Amino acid sequence: AITKIKARQILDSRGIPTVEVDLYTNKGMYRASVPSGASTGMYEAVEMRDGEKGKYLGKGVSKAVKIVNEKISEALIGMDPVLQSQIDQAMMGLDKTENKAELGANAMLAVSIAACKAGAAEKEVPLYKHIADLSGKSNPILPVPAITVISGGKHAGNNLAVQEIMILPVGASNFEEAMQMGCETYHHLKAIILEKNGSNGCNVGDDGGFAPNISSIEEGLDLVREAIDRAGYTGRVKLAIDVAATDFCMGKKYDLDFKAPNKSGQNFKTGEDMVEMYTQLCKEYPVVSIEQPFDKDDWEHTKLFTSLGICQVVGDDLLMSNPKRIERAIHESTCNALLLKVNQVGTVTEAIEVVKQAKTAHWGVIISHRSGETEDSFIADLAVGLATGQIKAGAPCRGERLAKYNQLLRIEEELGAEATYSGENWRQQ
Ligand code: PGA
Ligand code: ZN
């Protein structure tokens, strides 16, 4: 049974406060902390922040910590940590809002994840196995990592509008080899950027991707393609883009120069222009997945692009991991993959539910980190346990990103001969 819950304020990878929880049972202490994104939308569960201007620019989480230590703790003490949905339901019962504004999704998620870890320990099974049990699945699968190699958008200080270029080592035979291919490509990329853009180009963004001062997506894709070729993985490593287009949608137009100091205004694109651009990119480069290609509310162009059937079309802020928005997107065939950010949902139980919802529609599912992360590696076990086939956890750089990839290496080792890597079957449809 849960005997004690203690929360504290710690810091995320951007030096911004976040919630950490130590949950005690008769078996031991189980710790979890929560991530945070660069941009938050109005349809996702709400992070509770203090708003006290003189402290951490208003971003402290002492109120959320207090809620865990008092309200949540009082409700959960004595409960069996194995019963994840009852624990999550008990927390939801304390919050009368639809978006967890009363308790704070950061408070709830930290407790929910800590309880999940305690539940696994109670059953004496690995965390991914416990998660698989909770979802009713039995075959854990090691995901293809979407490894960030170039950062732009709101995650980096260069002029590149697009937020991320990622590499997908789908041709690896196991997860360990996928990481080897990913890291070697990353190192070749560094050498190429050093030659072409000088050492400043090798500075990294929030997720650890290089942030050379390039201004077009094609320039970035050329660099990465050359790195894949030099590493000797042509054909075995595919490309993915997170456009994060919501960040540069102005009215009905997309401003590909939104970060340029001397904006000429000539790089404004219509939704149709963007569809045309993506179609070309998928023809010219081995791009197999495009995330958030349009504004969060541009259902029309997202659907139009998806209907062409060219690549995986991933809904990030379009969906905000929100079951109602996912339902609409399934119904209208708006996109064909879900980016699942656990902190947009708020509890483990609901995260499992939305993943099921997407899988039932034969969508791809990517378990995702946030740009502000901690050393908690929970999402690695979540991706394996739910057999999503894909995970997005940044570059092979910065400890909070490696925490996830290294945990996946451990899981693969532990599974031994039973380990399956999703590889070419990454969309798991
Ligand atoms: P965020 O970025 O955590 O800043 O939202 C991640 C993503 O866009 O996929
Ligand atoms: Zn995104």
Side-chain angles (χ1 to χ4, degrees):
I2 298 172
T3 55
K4 182 178 153 187
I5 301 175
K6 164 96 181 74
R8 69 178 64 83
Q9 173 170 301
I10 61 162
L11 299 166
D12 75 12
S13 56
R14 281 192 281 243
I16 294 173
T18 190
V19 181
E20 176 169 89
V21 161
D22 292 351
L23 184 144
Y24 295 77
T25 68
N26 310 83
K27 287 227 171 211
M29 187 273 279
Y30 305 92
R31 177 171 289 164
S33 53
V34 299
S36 182
S39 30
T40 43
M42 51 191 148
Y43 308 101
E44 61 184 82
V46 175
E47 275 175 353
M48 183 169 297
R49 299 265 176 209
D50 296 343
E52 201 185 322
K53 284 278 176 294
K55 264 189 183 168
Y56 285 107
L57 300 100
K59 296 200 166 168
V61 292
S62 66
K63 284 183 195 160
V65 164
K66 192 160 184 271
I67 285 171
V68 174
N69 288 340
E70 293 171 6
K71 257 193 184 161
I72 295 181
S73 171
E74 200 175 295
L76 303 191
I77 301 277
M79 288 184 82
D80 180 350
V82 169
L83 305 174
Q84 185 72 39
S85 77
Q86 292 187 17
I87 289 168
D88 291 338
Q89 288 298 340
M91 285 194 281
M92 284 185 258
L94 296 174
D95 189 314
K96 287 173 284 302
T97 63
E98 217 181 291
N99 56 3
K100 303 189 169 60
E102 230 175 295
L103 294 191
N106 43 357
M108 284 167 87
L109 183 65
V111 175
S112 186
I113 293 176
C116 193
K117 293 178 182 178
E122 197 76 18
K123 281 160 65 180
E124 298 182 352
V125 297
L127 183 53
Y128 59 85
K129 174 74 171 61
H130 177 46
I131 293 167
D133 292 347
L134 290 173
S135 78
K137 274 201 78 74
S138 53
N139 56 329
I141 291 175
L142 271 300
V144 162
I147 302 172
T148 311
V149 291
I150 289 196
S151 296
K154 279 196 176 173
H155 292 175
N158 53 7
N159 286 342
L160 184 65
V162 166
Q163 188 178 280
E164 288 165 63
I165 298 175
M166 291 163 275
I167 51 174
L168 274 52
V170 298
S173 50
N174 54 43
F175 184 79
E176 186 186 4
E177 192 189 12
M179 286 314 296
Q180 184 193 329
M181 290 163 73
C183 292
E184 289 171 8
T185 304
Y186 184 75
H187 295 134
H188 280 286
L189 179 63
K190 184 172 184 175
I192 292 165
I193 293 174
L194 200 63
E195 286 164 25
K196 297 196 170 154
N197 305 70
S199 55
N200 278 350
C202 298
N203 293 342
V204 299
D206 289 354
D207 312 352
F210 298 117
N213 214 355
I214 51 175
S215 47
S216 80
I217 178 72
E218 290 85 356
E219 250 181 287
L221 292 169
D222 283 334
L223 292 169
V224 179
R225 183 167 58 186
E226 192 179 335
I228 294 171
D229 291 347
R230 275 203 206 174
Y233 296 128
T234 313
R236 294 173 69 201
V237 173
K238 304 289 183 189
L239 301 177
I241 303 168
D242 180 2
V243 184
T246 307
D247 292 333
F248 56 88
C249 180
M250 314 290 162
K252 286 205 170 318
K253 297 246 175 111
Y254 293 91
D255 181 6
L256 285 172
D257 271 345
F258 88 105
K259 295 200 298 177
N262 320 308
K263 290 191 196 191
S264 60
Q266 295 191 343
N267 225 349
F268 271 67
K269 306 253 186 229
T270 64
E272 282 75 20
D273 295 339
M274 297 293 276
V275 170
E276 177 54 32
M277 182 180 90
Y278 297 137
T279 307
Q280 281 306 320
L281 291 181
C282 291
K283 262 195 205 138
E284 285 165 30
Y285 302 90
V287 173
V288 293
S289 178
I290 302 186
E291 181 182 330
Q292 205 54 43
F294 304 92
D295 179 60
K296 65 179 188 325
D297 293 314
D298 193 347
W299 297 77
E300 183 196 336
H301 291 103
T302 313
K303 181 185 165 102
L304 173 64
F305 180 55
T306 301
S307 74
L308 301 178
I310 300 173
C311 66
Q312 174 175 263
V313 181
V314 186
D316 178 359
D317 1 340
L318 173 83
L319 306 171
M320 290 174 197
S321 311
N322 177 315
K324 288 194 185 130
R325 294 189 59 101
I326 296 169
E327 188 53 48
R328 175 174 171 194
I330 290 171
H331 186 71
E332 298 180 10
S333 305
T334 314
C335 59
N336 55 35
L338 163 71
L339 190 86
L340 192 275
K341 293 166 162 172
V342 279
N343 76 318
Q344 288 186 330
V345 188
T347 65
V348 173
T349 303
E350 292 165 287
I352 293 173
E353 284 310 310
V354 293
V355 167
K356 276 191 192 164
Q357 188 186 3
K359 284 192 153 202
T360 307
H362 303 287
W363 277 16
V365 177
I366 307 161
I367 299 294
S368 176
H369 69 162
R370 300 308 307 263
S371 48
E373 266 292 340
T374 73
E375 61 273 32
D376 193 311
S377 61
F378 177 75
I379 60 164
D381 285 80
L382 187 68
V384 174
L386 298 182
T388 58
Q390 304 178 61
I391 190 168
K392 168 175 169 175
C397 168
R398 305 183 53 133
E400 75 282 2
R401 314 295 149 188
L402 272 317
K404 283 70 168 169
Y405 293 133
N406 287 339
Q407 174 66 0
L408 287 162
L409 290 172
R410 291 179 205 111
I411 294 174
E412 183 169 72
E413 179 191 66
E414 181 174 276
L415 283 167
E418 278 173 55
T420 311
Y421 173 60
S422 66
E424 299 287 356
N425 195 23
W426 55 282
R427 286 174 81 170
Q428 296 286 313
Q429 288 160 313

